């Protein structure tokens, strides 16, 4: 498949965009809202958790397309992770702004360029985000048949597989300047260093897991994807965020069938729609909880 430009040209009457450095912000717009989606199967509205949103309102979401520029992420001869996840992120941002114009949506990058992991978290913190969603594509070096989704929160690796995913995603810091000082000596190749990350973000763990469960449920019921469930591992991109945060692996680029799905307009729409439904369900839950 021929690579296409990740920059989407919007029509004149489409969403306005304000670009500030590497961050793209959709401002509050007056627009007709589409019908709101129903809650996902098995969703309930529990009592509010201590960390579920600021003032029970979800005002700002930061969407982080993983990798970019000199860091293409997972690659095949035809596709790059960085470009696939950018298209999914742009679609998700547009869906949220169309249906929920009161929500401020911020992208950590709007084109195929490199952004440090520390800066991605800093963007979310500076904008006092209520939710951080990092979007990725998975890979398995020993299998061309493994397929499906999984969503991570920051925590202790339960399996060697979780650790390998974290190692691969965290290895990007080796491409950054002065990474040893920036990340306080963190070594992406050290299992102990990854385990130490599990102590961070504890205050937001309940809400992070809550949203992650909704993401995986939405993939299963809305897109009929195989879900590998919610997992925990030490991801640097989630380490410094001060809000509920998840990292979503949307599928395996090493599976030829799933690669075609991930690179297709149909697949990207199904994935972004599933993420949007999870977001809508999570927002409704925390804003209606007593």
């Amino acid at each position: 498949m021929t690579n296409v430009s990740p920059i989407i040209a919007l029509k004149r009457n489409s969403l306005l965009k304000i670009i500030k450095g590497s961050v793209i912000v959709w401002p509050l717009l007056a627009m007709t809202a589409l019908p709101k989606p129903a809650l996902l199967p098995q969703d309930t509205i529990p009592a509010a958790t201590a960390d579920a949103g600021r003032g029970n309102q979800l005002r700002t979401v930061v969407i982080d397309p993983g990798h970019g520029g000199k860091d293409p992420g997972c690659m095949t001869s035809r596709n790059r992770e960085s470009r696939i996840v950018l298209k999914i992120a742009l679609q998700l941002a547009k869906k949220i702004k169309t249906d929920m114009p009161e929500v401020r949506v911020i992208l950590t990058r709007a084109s195929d360029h490199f952004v440090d992991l520390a800066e991605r978290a800093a963007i979310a913190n500076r904008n006092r985000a209520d939710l951080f969603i990092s979007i990725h594509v998975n890979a398995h070096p020993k299998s061309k048949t493994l397929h499906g989704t999984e969503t991570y929160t920051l925590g202790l690796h339960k399996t060697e597989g979780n650790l390998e995913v974290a190692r691969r995603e965290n290895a990007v810091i080796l491409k950054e300047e002065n990474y040893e000082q920036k990340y306080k000596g963190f070594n992406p190749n050290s299992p102990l260093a990854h385990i130490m990350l599990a102590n961070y973000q504890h205050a937001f763990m309940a809400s992070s897991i809550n949203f992650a469960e909704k993401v995986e449920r939405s993939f299963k019921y809305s897109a009929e994807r195989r879900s590998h469930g919610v997992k925990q591992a030490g991801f640097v991109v989630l380490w410094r965020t001060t809000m509920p945060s998840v990292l979503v692996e949307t599928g395996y680029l090493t599976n030829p069938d799933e690669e075609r799905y991930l690179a297709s307009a149909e697949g990207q729409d199904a994935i972004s729609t599933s993420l949007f439904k999870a977001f809508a369900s999570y927002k409704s839950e925390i804003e209606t909880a007593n």
Side-chain angles (χ1 to χ4, degrees):
M1 180 178 292
T2 303
N3 288 330
V4 296
S5 171
I7 302 176
I8 297 178
L10 300 178
K11 294 182 179 179
R12 180 176 300 177
N13 62 349
S14 63
L15 299 177
L16 297 176
K17 296 187 289 185
I18 299 177
I19 299 179
K20 299 179 179 178
S22 63
V23 185
I24 180 170
V25 181
W26 270 261
L28 302 183
L29 301 176
M31 56 177 66
T32 302
L34 299 176
K36 294 186 179 297
L39 290 177
L40 300 171
Q42 303 180 18
D43 272 345
T44 57
I45 302 177
T49 57
D51 60 324
R54 295 182 173 90
N56 285 345
Q57 294 292 317
L58 204 166
R59 300 181 179 90
T60 303
V61 57
V62 170
I63 303 172
D64 172 46
H67 307 280
K70 63 182 179 181
D71 172 33
C74 304
M75 288 183 63
T76 68
S77 60
R78 294 171 293 184
N79 292 289
R80 294 185 174 198
E81 174 181 3
S82 60
R83 295 175 182 175
I84 289 174
V85 298
L86 177 61
K87 294 174 185 177
I88 294 170
L90 287 168
Q91 288 189 31
L92 173 60
K94 187 173 182 180
K95 285 176 168 64
I96 293 173
K97 280 313 306 174
T98 300
D99 192 79
M100 305 171 184
E102 75 279 6
V103 175
R104 191 163 66 122
V105 182
I106 299 170
L107 285 168
T108 57
R109 65 181 181 92
S111 61
D112 192 13
H113 70 275
F114 183 73
V115 181
D116 289 357
L117 293 186
E119 176 60 16
R120 295 169 193 260
I123 288 169
N125 294 340
R126 285 197 301 268
N127 287 279
R128 299 182 58 80
D130 299 297
L131 183 64
F132 179 85
I133 307 171
S134 189
I135 303 175
H136 292 255
V137 168
N138 219 335
H140 196 291
K142 298 181 180 180
S143 175
K144 293 184 177 181
T145 59
L146 188 60
H147 65 283
T149 67
E150 53 195 40
T151 300
Y152 285 86
T153 63
L154 186 64
L156 187 65
H157 327 292
K158 297 294 195 302
T159 68
E160 183 67 19
N162 293 13
L163 175 59
E164 287 304 316
V165 173
R167 280 174 175 162
R168 186 182 68 246
E169 300 294 0
N170 291 340
V172 62
I173 70 173
L174 300 177
K175 299 178 183 291
E176 301 179 17
E177 296 181 1
N178 301 319
Y179 78 89
E180 291 182 339
Q181 294 180 358
K182 187 183 301 181
Y183 298 99
K184 300 180 181 179
F186 176 80
N187 180 359
N189 296 316
S190 167
L192 179 59
H194 286 86
I195 290 172
M196 290 174 63
L197 293 182
N199 294 325
Y200 295 90
Q201 262 244 328
H202 179 75
F204 307 103
M205 186 59 67
S207 289
S208 297
I209 293 175
N210 182 10
F211 178 67
E213 289 174 343
K214 285 174 168 51
V215 169
E216 287 303 307
R217 193 177 304 144
S218 187
F219 280 140
K220 180 178 179 180
Y221 289 100
S222 297
E224 298 182 343
R225 303 290 309 286
R226 179 182 179 183
S227 170
H228 294 283
V230 176
K231 302 181 178 182
Q232 292 185 328
F235 291 97
V236 171
V237 74
L238 304 181
W239 169 28
R240 294 184 174 181
T241 56
T242 57
M243 71 287 302
S245 303
V246 301
L247 185 146
V248 184
E249 297 282 5
T250 57
Y252 283 83
L253 207 61
T254 43
N255 180 318
D257 291 334
E258 192 144 89
E259 178 190 0
R260 285 190 287 271
Y261 175 82
L262 292 167
S264 70
E266 178 184 2
Q268 291 165 11
D269 180 68
I271 292 169
S272 61
T273 297
S274 295
L275 289 169
F276 169 73
K277 288 182 177 180
F279 176 82
S281 180
Y282 176 78
K283 182 176 185 294
S284 174
E285 178 180 297
I286 67 172
E287 291 184 352
T288 57
N290 294 322

